[in-house]
Amino acid sequence: SALSEVSVRNADDTQILLDSIAPVQCFSPSDVSILQKCKHDASISQEVFEEVSSRQQAEDMVSLLPNRYFVNVTSHIEWYLSRDIDISVVLVMRDTSISKKEWISCGISSTLVDASFEKSMGLMKEAFVAYGMHGSRVPKVGTEHVLIVSYEGLMEMKDSYLYEVYNELGIDSTFLPSFIDGNAKYIIDPPPEKH
């Protein structure tokens, strides 16, 4: 499922903000009754649901979601925990300057990139403070729901780092992927010094 802070635009171009949990079955429902159940699970107001579904002939839940949104990690965790479902969230941290270069190279303005980083970092910090190691909502050590993984650490230490992540998540596996450093193309080596 996808949990997000969603911004929906009405026909008059006003925005409606809502939190949304969209189970995977909602993304291509076969009939209106499934869509109606999805509306309830997604916490979408009746007004927004009727306006959007009438425009889209109630065919596609994706029409209720924007192309780009942020996952509210804390409420995502809480949604699962409230249903007695254990959840582990892995937050992958990457060098900010490299991430920003990547986004800008895709044509995203630096203003939007900065705002996006501020929003996403705020959501990640909130989740880690609540559900990470020594989190305020973690009853005892070993019951954390948020694990932070360093992309650069993974690229440097490879299998030993990955096996530690497996161990933290309770995954019994020896699978090793190919490690390809996505940062390399964004790092420019300085020219050699002239003597």
mmCIF file of all heavy atoms in Angstrom, residues 5 70-75 91 93 96 113-131 137 146 148:
data_model
loop_
_atom_site.group_PDB
_atom_site.id
_atom_site.type_symbol
_atom_site.label_atom_id
_atom_site.label_comp_id
_atom_site.label_asym_id
_atom_site.label_seq_id
_atom_site.Cartn_x
_atom_site.Cartn_y
_atom_site.Cartn_z
ATOM 1 N N GLU A 5 0.749 12.058 1.864
ATOM 2 C CA GLU A 5 0.064 13.320 2.085
ATOM 3 C C GLU A 5 -0.298 13.773 0.686
ATOM 4 O O GLU A 5 0.564 14.023 -0.147
ATOM 5 C CB GLU A 5 1.018 14.296 2.750
ATOM 6 C CG GLU A 5 0.388 15.606 3.096
ATOM 7 C CD GLU A 5 1.373 16.478 3.828
ATOM 8 O OE1 GLU A 5 1.791 16.123 4.935
ATOM 9 O OE2 GLU A 5 1.719 17.515 3.244
ATOM 10 N N PHE A 70 4.624 12.725 -0.916
ATOM 11 C CA PHE A 70 5.528 12.292 0.136
ATOM 12 C C PHE A 70 4.842 11.260 1.009
ATOM 13 O O PHE A 70 3.683 11.409 1.345
ATOM 14 C CB PHE A 70 5.936 13.483 1.016
ATOM 15 C CG PHE A 70 6.731 14.504 0.287
ATOM 16 C CD1 PHE A 70 6.117 15.625 -0.236
ATOM 17 C CD2 PHE A 70 8.082 14.341 0.102
ATOM 18 C CE1 PHE A 70 6.837 16.572 -0.919
ATOM 19 C CE2 PHE A 70 8.819 15.293 -0.575
ATOM 20 C CZ PHE A 70 8.186 16.405 -1.096
ATOM 21 N N VAL A 71 5.583 10.246 1.399
ATOM 22 C CA VAL A 71 5.054 9.244 2.311
ATOM 23 C C VAL A 71 5.215 9.754 3.737
ATOM 24 O O VAL A 71 6.316 10.082 4.165
ATOM 25 C CB VAL A 71 5.804 7.894 2.143
ATOM 26 C CG1 VAL A 71 5.364 6.901 3.209
ATOM 27 C CG2 VAL A 71 5.572 7.333 0.756
ATOM 28 N N ASN A 72 4.110 9.843 4.463
ATOM 29 C CA ASN A 72 4.166 10.193 5.876
ATOM 30 C C ASN A 72 4.492 8.900 6.620
ATOM 31 O O ASN A 72 3.624 8.091 6.913
ATOM 32 C CB ASN A 72 2.846 10.792 6.354
ATOM 33 C CG ASN A 72 2.939 11.248 7.783
ATOM 34 O OD1 ASN A 72 3.630 10.646 8.601
ATOM 35 N ND2 ASN A 72 2.232 12.317 8.097
ATOM 36 N N VAL A 73 5.769 8.688 6.878
ATOM 37 C CA VAL A 73 6.261 7.418 7.423
ATOM 38 C C VAL A 73 5.635 7.120 8.778
ATOM 39 O O VAL A 73 5.232 5.983 9.051
ATOM 40 C CB VAL A 73 7.805 7.423 7.526
ATOM 41 C CG1 VAL A 73 8.311 6.090 8.046
ATOM 42 C CG2 VAL A 73 8.428 7.752 6.180
ATOM 43 N N THR A 74 5.495 8.128 9.624
ATOM 44 C CA THR A 74 4.957 7.916 10.967
ATOM 45 C C THR A 74 3.525 7.400 10.915
ATOM 46 O O THR A 74 3.190 6.389 11.545
ATOM 47 C CB THR A 74 5.019 9.220 11.796
ATOM 48 O OG1 THR A 74 6.367 9.684 11.797
ATOM 49 C CG2 THR A 74 4.556 8.990 13.215
ATOM 50 N N SER A 75 2.661 8.065 10.153
ATOM 51 C CA SER A 75 1.275 7.599 10.094
ATOM 52 C C SER A 75 1.166 6.279 9.343
ATOM 53 O O SER A 75 0.279 5.473 9.612
ATOM 54 C CB SER A 75 0.352 8.661 9.495
ATOM 55 O OG SER A 75 0.760 9.036 8.211
ATOM 56 N N LEU A 91 14.833 3.538 5.937
ATOM 57 C CA LEU A 91 15.078 4.855 5.352
ATOM 58 C C LEU A 91 16.502 4.863 4.810
ATOM 59 O O LEU A 91 17.445 4.658 5.561
ATOM 60 C CB LEU A 91 14.932 5.952 6.409
ATOM 61 C CG LEU A 91 13.575 6.067 7.102
ATOM 62 C CD1 LEU A 91 13.626 7.150 8.182
ATOM 63 C CD2 LEU A 91 12.473 6.364 6.102
ATOM 64 N N MET A 93 19.516 6.833 3.499
ATOM 65 C CA MET A 93 20.084 8.180 3.497
ATOM 66 C C MET A 93 21.197 8.231 2.450
ATOM 67 O O MET A 93 21.993 7.303 2.348
ATOM 68 C CB MET A 93 20.653 8.529 4.872
ATOM 69 C CG MET A 93 19.645 8.416 6.006
ATOM 70 S SD MET A 93 18.232 9.517 5.843
ATOM 71 C CE MET A 93 19.012 11.091 6.084
ATOM 72 N N THR A 96 23.342 14.408 0.386
ATOM 73 C CA THR A 96 22.361 15.383 -0.080
ATOM 74 C C THR A 96 22.798 16.092 -1.353
ATOM 75 O O THR A 96 22.001 16.278 -2.269
ATOM 76 C CB THR A 96 22.084 16.424 1.028
ATOM 77 O OG1 THR A 96 21.662 15.727 2.199
ATOM 78 C CG2 THR A 96 20.999 17.390 0.619
ATOM 79 N N VAL A 113 13.549 21.287 -5.548
ATOM 80 C CA VAL A 113 14.414 20.270 -4.952
ATOM 81 C C VAL A 113 14.662 20.602 -3.477
ATOM 82 O O VAL A 113 14.530 19.745 -2.604
ATOM 83 C CB VAL A 113 15.753 20.148 -5.718
ATOM 84 C CG1 VAL A 113 16.760 19.320 -4.940
ATOM 85 C CG2 VAL A 113 15.517 19.534 -7.095
ATOM 86 N N ASP A 114 14.998 21.859 -3.177
ATOM 87 C CA ASP A 114 15.248 22.262 -1.786
ATOM 88 C C ASP A 114 14.004 22.076 -0.929
ATOM 89 O O ASP A 114 14.078 21.561 0.191
ATOM 90 C CB ASP A 114 15.717 23.717 -1.721
ATOM 91 C CG ASP A 114 17.132 23.904 -2.263
ATOM 92 O OD1 ASP A 114 17.879 22.908 -2.353
ATOM 93 O OD2 ASP A 114 17.485 25.056 -2.603
ATOM 94 N N ALA A 115 12.849 22.490 -1.453
ATOM 95 C CA ALA A 115 11.601 22.350 -0.701
ATOM 96 C C ALA A 115 11.265 20.871 -0.484
ATOM 97 O O ALA A 115 10.816 20.476 0.599
ATOM 98 C CB ALA A 115 10.462 23.047 -1.444
ATOM 99 N N SER A 116 11.503 20.056 -1.496
ATOM 100 C CA SER A 116 11.232 18.619 -1.393
ATOM 101 C C SER A 116 12.133 17.968 -0.348
ATOM 102 O O SER A 116 11.686 17.130 0.443
ATOM 103 C CB SER A 116 11.445 17.932 -2.744
ATOM 104 O OG SER A 116 10.519 18.404 -3.682
ATOM 105 N N PHE A 117 13.406 18.353 -0.341
ATOM 106 C CA PHE A 117 14.331 17.791 0.646
ATOM 107 C C PHE A 117 13.931 18.192 2.057
ATOM 108 O O PHE A 117 13.983 17.388 2.978
ATOM 109 C CB PHE A 117 15.777 18.203 0.347
ATOM 110 C CG PHE A 117 16.491 17.198 -0.483
ATOM 111 C CD1 PHE A 117 16.332 17.188 -1.862
ATOM 112 C CD2 PHE A 117 17.283 16.230 0.098
ATOM 113 C CE1 PHE A 117 16.961 16.245 -2.639
ATOM 114 C CE2 PHE A 117 17.921 15.276 -0.669
ATOM 115 C CZ PHE A 117 17.760 15.281 -2.047
ATOM 116 N N GLU A 118 13.513 19.439 2.220
ATOM 117 C CA GLU A 118 13.095 19.900 3.550
ATOM 118 C C GLU A 118 11.889 19.098 4.029
ATOM 119 O O GLU A 118 11.841 18.645 5.170
ATOM 120 C CB GLU A 118 12.768 21.392 3.492
ATOM 121 C CG GLU A 118 12.405 21.976 4.836
ATOM 122 C CD GLU A 118 12.117 23.469 4.762
ATOM 123 O OE1 GLU A 118 12.649 24.162 3.869
ATOM 124 O OE2 GLU A 118 11.342 23.924 5.610
ATOM 125 N N LYS A 119 10.920 18.907 3.152
ATOM 126 C CA LYS A 119 9.707 18.156 3.507
ATOM 127 C C LYS A 119 10.039 16.697 3.805
ATOM 128 O O LYS A 119 9.628 16.149 4.825
ATOM 129 C CB LYS A 119 8.686 18.255 2.371
ATOM 130 C CG LYS A 119 7.414 17.488 2.608
ATOM 131 C CD LYS A 119 6.582 18.107 3.698
ATOM 132 C CE LYS A 119 5.220 17.452 3.792
ATOM 133 N NZ LYS A 119 4.440 17.972 4.917
ATOM 134 N N SER A 120 10.775 16.048 2.915
ATOM 135 C CA SER A 120 11.069 14.621 3.097
ATOM 136 C C SER A 120 11.943 14.379 4.325
ATOM 137 O O SER A 120 11.727 13.432 5.082
ATOM 138 C CB SER A 120 11.705 14.014 1.846
ATOM 139 O OG SER A 120 12.912 14.664 1.528
ATOM 140 N N MET A 121 12.919 15.256 4.567
ATOM 141 C CA MET A 121 13.769 15.096 5.745
ATOM 142 C C MET A 121 12.960 15.277 7.019
ATOM 143 O O MET A 121 13.151 14.548 8.001
ATOM 144 C CB MET A 121 14.935 16.081 5.701
ATOM 145 C CG MET A 121 15.995 15.805 6.742
ATOM 146 S SD MET A 121 16.672 14.121 6.724
ATOM 147 C CE MET A 121 17.451 14.075 5.123
ATOM 148 N N GLY A 122 12.026 16.207 7.019
ATOM 149 C CA GLY A 122 11.158 16.402 8.178
ATOM 150 C C GLY A 122 10.346 15.157 8.485
ATOM 151 O O GLY A 122 10.219 14.745 9.645
ATOM 152 N N LEU A 123 9.789 14.529 7.445
ATOM 153 C CA LEU A 123 8.998 13.303 7.626
ATOM 154 C C LEU A 123 9.866 12.148 8.125
ATOM 155 O O LEU A 123 9.455 11.360 8.984
ATOM 156 C CB LEU A 123 8.304 12.917 6.313
ATOM 157 C CG LEU A 123 7.181 13.847 5.862
ATOM 158 C CD1 LEU A 123 6.775 13.521 4.428
ATOM 159 C CD2 LEU A 123 5.990 13.762 6.793
ATOM 160 N N MET A 124 11.085 12.041 7.604
ATOM 161 C CA MET A 124 11.979 10.963 8.024
ATOM 162 C C MET A 124 12.435 11.161 9.465
ATOM 163 O O MET A 124 12.470 10.214 10.254
ATOM 164 C CB MET A 124 13.160 10.852 7.063
ATOM 165 C CG MET A 124 12.709 10.354 5.707
ATOM 166 S SD MET A 124 13.922 10.109 4.371
ATOM 167 C CE MET A 124 15.451 10.597 4.922
ATOM 168 N N LYS A 125 12.769 12.401 9.824
ATOM 169 C CA LYS A 125 13.198 12.673 11.202
ATOM 170 C C LYS A 125 12.070 12.377 12.180
ATOM 171 O O LYS A 125 12.292 11.784 13.237
ATOM 172 C CB LYS A 125 13.639 14.133 11.352
ATOM 173 C CG LYS A 125 14.999 14.414 10.779
ATOM 174 C CD LYS A 125 15.349 15.891 10.947
ATOM 175 C CE LYS A 125 16.690 16.218 10.315
ATOM 176 N NZ LYS A 125 16.988 17.659 10.388
ATOM 177 N N GLU A 126 10.863 12.798 11.836
ATOM 178 C CA GLU A 126 9.706 12.552 12.702
ATOM 179 C C GLU A 126 9.537 11.050 12.960
ATOM 180 O O GLU A 126 9.330 10.625 14.099
ATOM 181 C CB GLU A 126 8.442 13.114 12.052
ATOM 182 C CG GLU A 126 7.169 12.797 12.802
ATOM 183 C CD GLU A 126 5.933 13.186 12.018
ATOM 184 O OE1 GLU A 126 5.697 12.611 10.926
ATOM 185 O OE2 GLU A 126 5.205 14.055 12.500
ATOM 186 N N ALA A 127 9.640 10.246 11.910
ATOM 187 C CA ALA A 127 9.481 8.795 12.052
ATOM 188 C C ALA A 127 10.599 8.196 12.877
ATOM 189 O O ALA A 127 10.369 7.331 13.734
ATOM 190 C CB ALA A 127 9.434 8.139 10.671
ATOM 191 N N PHE A 128 11.834 8.655 12.648
ATOM 192 C CA PHE A 128 12.968 8.090 13.381
ATOM 193 C C PHE A 128 12.898 8.449 14.864
ATOM 194 O O PHE A 128 13.155 7.614 15.730
ATOM 195 C CB PHE A 128 14.296 8.555 12.781
ATOM 196 C CG PHE A 128 15.479 7.886 13.413
ATOM 197 C CD1 PHE A 128 15.735 6.541 13.181
ATOM 198 C CD2 PHE A 128 16.315 8.578 14.256
ATOM 199 C CE1 PHE A 128 16.808 5.899 13.775
ATOM 200 C CE2 PHE A 128 17.400 7.957 14.857
ATOM 201 C CZ PHE A 128 17.644 6.609 14.616
ATOM 202 N N VAL A 129 12.535 9.685 15.167
ATOM 203 C CA VAL A 129 12.432 10.107 16.565
ATOM 204 C C VAL A 129 11.343 9.305 17.285
ATOM 205 O O VAL A 129 11.485 8.948 18.450
ATOM 206 C CB VAL A 129 12.163 11.632 16.657
ATOM 207 C CG1 VAL A 129 11.723 12.040 18.043
ATOM 208 C CG2 VAL A 129 13.406 12.402 16.237
ATOM 209 N N ALA A 130 10.274 8.980 16.578
ATOM 210 C CA ALA A 130 9.177 8.233 17.195
ATOM 211 C C ALA A 130 9.428 6.735 17.234
ATOM 212 O O ALA A 130 9.179 6.081 18.251
ATOM 213 C CB ALA A 130 7.871 8.518 16.446
ATOM 214 N N TYR A 131 9.926 6.163 16.126
ATOM 215 C CA TYR A 131 9.971 4.705 16.003
ATOM 216 C C TYR A 131 11.352 4.124 15.724
ATOM 217 O O TYR A 131 11.486 2.921 15.519
ATOM 218 C CB TYR A 131 8.996 4.243 14.913
ATOM 219 C CG TYR A 131 7.553 4.422 15.327
ATOM 220 C CD1 TYR A 131 6.772 5.448 14.804
ATOM 221 C CD2 TYR A 131 6.980 3.567 16.258
ATOM 222 C CE1 TYR A 131 5.452 5.608 15.189
ATOM 223 C CE2 TYR A 131 5.658 3.715 16.646
ATOM 224 C CZ TYR A 131 4.902 4.745 16.107
ATOM 225 O OH TYR A 131 3.599 4.896 16.503
ATOM 226 N N ARG A 137 8.230 6.311 20.912
ATOM 227 C CA ARG A 137 7.095 5.380 20.891
ATOM 228 C C ARG A 137 7.539 3.921 20.824
ATOM 229 O O ARG A 137 6.765 3.049 20.468
ATOM 230 C CB ARG A 137 6.177 5.711 19.720
ATOM 231 C CG ARG A 137 5.599 7.110 19.827
ATOM 232 C CD ARG A 137 4.633 7.414 18.720
ATOM 233 N NE ARG A 137 4.492 8.859 18.597
ATOM 234 C CZ ARG A 137 3.947 9.459 17.568
ATOM 235 N NH1 ARG A 137 3.480 8.752 16.563
ATOM 236 N NH2 ARG A 137 3.854 10.758 17.524
ATOM 237 N N VAL A 146 11.865 1.621 12.603
ATOM 238 C CA VAL A 146 12.565 2.411 11.585
ATOM 239 C C VAL A 146 14.059 2.116 11.662
ATOM 240 O O VAL A 146 14.659 2.174 12.728
ATOM 241 C CB VAL A 146 12.329 3.929 11.789
ATOM 242 C CG1 VAL A 146 13.146 4.736 10.787
ATOM 243 C CG2 VAL A 146 10.848 4.271 11.661
ATOM 244 N N ILE A 148 17.715 3.146 9.696
ATOM 245 C CA ILE A 148 18.357 4.041 8.730
ATOM 246 C C ILE A 148 19.551 3.327 8.109
ATOM 247 O O ILE A 148 20.367 2.742 8.812
ATOM 248 C CB ILE A 148 18.807 5.352 9.394
ATOM 249 C CG1 ILE A 148 17.575 6.145 9.830
ATOM 250 C CG2 ILE A 148 19.673 6.175 8.446
ATOM 251 C CD1 ILE A 148 17.876 7.475 10.465
#
